[in-house]
Amino acid sequence: MRSIWNGSISFGLVSIPVKLMNATENHSISFRQIHLSDGGRIRYRKVCELDEEEVPASETVKAYEDADGTVIPVTDEDLASLPLPTARTIEIEGFVPASAVDPLQLDSAYYLSANGVPAAKPYALLREALRRSGKVAVAKYALRGRERLGMLRVVGDVIAMHGLLWPDEIRAPEGVAPDSDVKVRDAELDLADALMNTLGDADPETLHDDYREAVEELVAAKAAGEPVTEEEAGEPEGKVIDLMAALESSVRAAQESKGDTGSGKDADVHPIEGRAPRSGAGRSGARKGTARRSAGKKAAQETAPKKTPAKKAAAKKPAEKAAAKKSTAKKSTAKKAASGTRKRSSA
């Protein structure tokens, strides 16, 4: 890694020569501005607003504009003459627990490397002292024309330094918090805890920049002359009306995504007293509707008029009618014969 600053760490009377290197790098895709019609690069030139002529870098200097509009030139020689002890020294002011540093103050991150063989021993001494104490060092240093605040801590076998914002550079969160009369119920907190437990830990190593990958694919497709496919935008999410229902659905969705449906190991969702679960309410309503339809059908069958036998008799065929007449004639003849026999017997 290339060093961006050379100096030393002032640790009491101990001086540790070090090199400062960037600990992070930017992977964002950079774009250029071009003239759309011919593809020519768009460049910016420094032009004096008085004579409208381009001014070379050798003729430009810094200046401070006063409140009344007065411009006061400040050259590099003026700045170099200032008594700034931290210009080449990282001065340790003291040691505090890491929890005492507000994360809002964290700025850029750097690695400090021992500069030369003689610096190895005092460098290792400071590193092990920080490691054993469990504290971080608060220091002042100067970089890019201004004095800054820094925090030194141990990362593996290296001393890292985080640039810190000065306390007066942190804004107060006035008017940011919601109204103080908002109340959160214990049942809602329980569901929030269940959702947190189901989601589990986040592994930063598995996270990546989806947008940057999409931009790279877009650029590659345009370079190859391929058509660019447009993805349909999702439906905008509405406002959360039922917080409990949203929490319950979130827990179930998280369980399904992790393959824990029905296991209940990570989180259990129980209905809240006095409030029926949304899914159960749907099924219960369906059962009630089915029972009402069944009762109505039965009542309709009971109140429907019964079919009369006359209709069935009218539907008989002619052959059946003839057979019925013959049977009736036979029965009449038998009755007459029996009556004559009774009369003779009586006489």
Side-chain angles (χ1 to χ4, degrees):
M1 284 185 275
R2 184 176 62 87
S3 64
I4 61 174
W5 180 89
N6 292 341
S8 61
I9 301 175
S10 177
F11 179 31
L13 298 178
V14 179
S15 180
I16 310 171
V18 292
K19 295 179 180 180
L20 188 70
M21 293 163 284
N22 285 318
T24 61
E25 57 187 1
N26 188 358
H27 289 168
S28 299
I29 298 176
S30 60
F31 294 98
R32 306 290 186 184
Q33 288 189 333
I34 63 170
H35 190 194
L36 184 59
S37 61
D38 56 14
R41 286 278 302 276
I42 303 299
R43 299 184 181 277
Y44 295 94
R45 293 182 173 89
K46 297 180 179 180
V47 178
C48 178
E49 65 178 9
L50 298 179
D51 55 19
E52 296 184 354
E53 294 183 359
E54 186 177 353
V55 180
S58 59
E59 297 181 11
T60 60
V61 296
K62 299 181 180 68
Y64 176 81
E65 186 174 358
D66 207 348
D68 58 358
T70 303
V71 178
I72 305 170
V74 179
T75 64
D76 294 338
E77 290 76 11
D78 296 334
L79 295 175
S81 64
L82 295 177
L84 186 61
T86 57
R88 289 294 174 187
T89 305
I90 300 173
E91 289 191 352
I92 295 179
E93 302 291 332
F95 300 87
V96 297
S99 58
V101 179
D102 191 340
L104 286 174
Q105 290 185 255
L106 295 177
D107 199 2
S108 303
Y110 308 95
Y111 288 136
L112 294 174
S113 172
N115 190 3
V117 177
K121 182 63 178 290
Y123 182 95
L125 173 64
L126 176 60
R127 181 191 63 196
E128 297 307 318
L130 289 172
R131 194 196 306 274
R132 188 170 70 172
S133 66
K135 296 183 177 181
V136 297
V138 178
K140 293 196 300 183
Y141 67 102
L143 185 65
R144 299 186 180 94
R146 56 169 294 194
E147 189 171 56
R148 305 167 187 262
L149 194 63
M151 177 187 73
L152 277 65
R153 69 184 184 97
V154 178
V155 178
D157 292 332
V158 177
I159 297 176
M161 183 173 71
H162 294 269
L164 299 178
L165 299 174
W166 296 98
D168 59 357
E169 294 178 321
I170 305 297
R171 292 180 175 179
E174 297 178 355
V176 178
D179 296 335
S180 58
D181 58 350
V182 175
K183 302 297 181 183
V184 179
R185 296 180 296 169
D186 291 339
E188 296 168 338
L189 282 175
D190 292 340
L191 277 175
D193 291 339
L195 178 57
M196 292 170 64
N197 293 333
T198 304
L199 292 175
D201 299 332
D203 185 6
E205 297 295 333
T206 63
L207 304 178
H208 56 278
D209 190 347
D210 294 327
Y211 180 75
R212 179 169 62 89
E213 292 181 357
V215 173
E216 290 175 349
E217 293 175 359
L218 170 66
V219 173
K222 292 180 73 69
E226 300 175 355
V228 179
T229 58
E230 296 183 2
E231 295 185 3
E232 297 182 359
E235 294 292 333
E237 296 183 1
K239 296 181 180 179
V240 177
I241 303 301
D242 192 338
L243 181 58
M244 296 296 295
L247 287 171
E248 291 173 0
S249 300
S250 300
V251 172
R252 293 190 180 94
Q255 289 176 340
E256 292 175 0
S257 65
K258 290 179 174 293
D260 294 335
T261 305
S263 63
K265 293 181 179 179
D266 292 335
D268 294 329
V269 181
H270 302 286
I272 308 303
E273 294 182 2
R275 179 181 180 278
R278 295 175 65 87
S279 59
R283 290 192 294 270
S284 176
R287 288 195 294 269
K288 291 179 180 178
T290 304
R292 286 196 295 269
R293 289 193 296 270
S294 177
K297 186 176 180 181
K298 184 176 181 181
Q301 292 176 350
E302 292 175 354
T303 57
K306 295 183 180 180
K307 296 181 179 179
T308 59
K311 293 182 179 180
K312 292 183 179 179
K316 290 184 178 180
K317 296 181 180 179
E320 294 176 352
K321 291 181 179 180
K325 289 181 180 180
K326 291 180 180 180
S327 176
T328 304
K330 290 180 179 180
K331 291 180 180 178
S332 178
T333 304
K335 286 182 179 180
K336 289 180 179 180
S339 178
T341 302
R342 286 196 296 272
K343 287 179 180 181
R344 288 194 296 271
S345 176
S346 177

